[in-house]
Amino acid sequence: MGMYSLELSQPTLSHPPLNEIDDIAAATNGDAAAFERIYRRQFPRVYLLARRMLGAEEAEDAAQDIFYRAWTKLGSFRGESGFGTWLHRVAITVLMRRASQSTTLDRREAPLSDDHIDKAFRPPDAMIDLEAALASLPLEQRAAVILHDIEGFSHEEVGDLMGISLTAARMRLFRARAALRDYARSRE
Amino acid sequence: MTHPSADVLVAYADGELNDPGITAHIAACDECSSMVATQRAVRTAIRNIPETFSTAPTDFTQILKRFERRRTRQRFVVFGAGLAAACAMIMLRIDRQPTHTAEIAAAITANPGAVPAADVSRMDDLITTMNDAIAQTRSAIEHDRTNAFLRGHLADLEARRMQALSDIAEVIGERSR
């Protein structure tokens, strides 16, 4: 698979380029060529989401699974939310199901650290390995931090995508960041 | 001093909460301001990490074929599991008191004493198993309405059930003469 570093911003799932809108309309009417173009454009970000959620080993198959499900469920896309949000919902459903079936993932819920006072905290701007740090998180926290801090969804949208309340989404985000801070500290 | 809860602090840290009371508390509380700073610092660090993208490795048509094959295999596994469950139900019914299906009950009521109880029980089992299989297949079709294999299977099951009911009615009719 071709890999490349990207310095400039990519079209995000939340904000598709204009030509994508035509393709989405055509694909929902069964135009496979239009969906192929959507797939080509969206694959990089969906693959990245899958890799961060499940790890590199399973990411490619999971990303393909997401597009297969999206194609088979396109009829349920009514345009009430943006296509990116809808595709994210499909992605999160697939990724959470696959993660829950995986025996290789550590799904323990990490306790919230009592050490809230963090005067000496240094921003882990040289955070060693993002994927390793994310992989250390319980699945639900990992999803929350990826959706908010990386994908840019609001707290409410994170809750909606994950099927949890706004308060629960915020708690997961809080715990995830506290755990990432602890992870960075443990490697100092 | 009562501190705001964690969900309130994270909402404040991410700019989703603008409450003067919370702002004043955080400004005056080292513990809470430290937690807010941590939340923001980790968020910033995550956002600043460069992303590595990958290009799509294959055509979507190839993915479609591969996942359709995988789905077909899974359907056969589910169908096999359903068949095994139906067999298990038959085995369990051997020692149970017969509970007549509506069709058998009607035939027995019309011709009382015509058929031995053991035979009636076997007829009940046969029709019940077929009814269960039909219900399971209908349920599967609800999730996959365009599946030609399942639709064909349902038509076959219904035809066999009609034939079985016809055979049973004939047997009961003959014995009652």
Side-chain angles (χ1 to χ4, degrees), chain A residues 39-40 47 64 118 155 177, chain B residues 14 34 38 54 58-59 66:
Chain A
Y39 156 75
R40 293 266 166 207
Y47 173 79
Q64 293 179 5
D118 197 20
H155 294 173
R177 289 173 181 161
Chain B
D14 288 346
S34 175
T38 296
S54 52
T58 184
D59 292 342
R66 191 159 69 86

Side-chain angles (χ1 to χ4, degrees), chain B residues 68-85:
Chain B
E68 286 292 352
R69 280 198 300 271
R70 188 183 292 185
R71 199 173 174 190
T72 303
R73 281 198 301 272
Q74 286 170 344
R75 276 190 201 122
F76 276 111
V77 170
V78 171
F79 179 69
L83 202 59

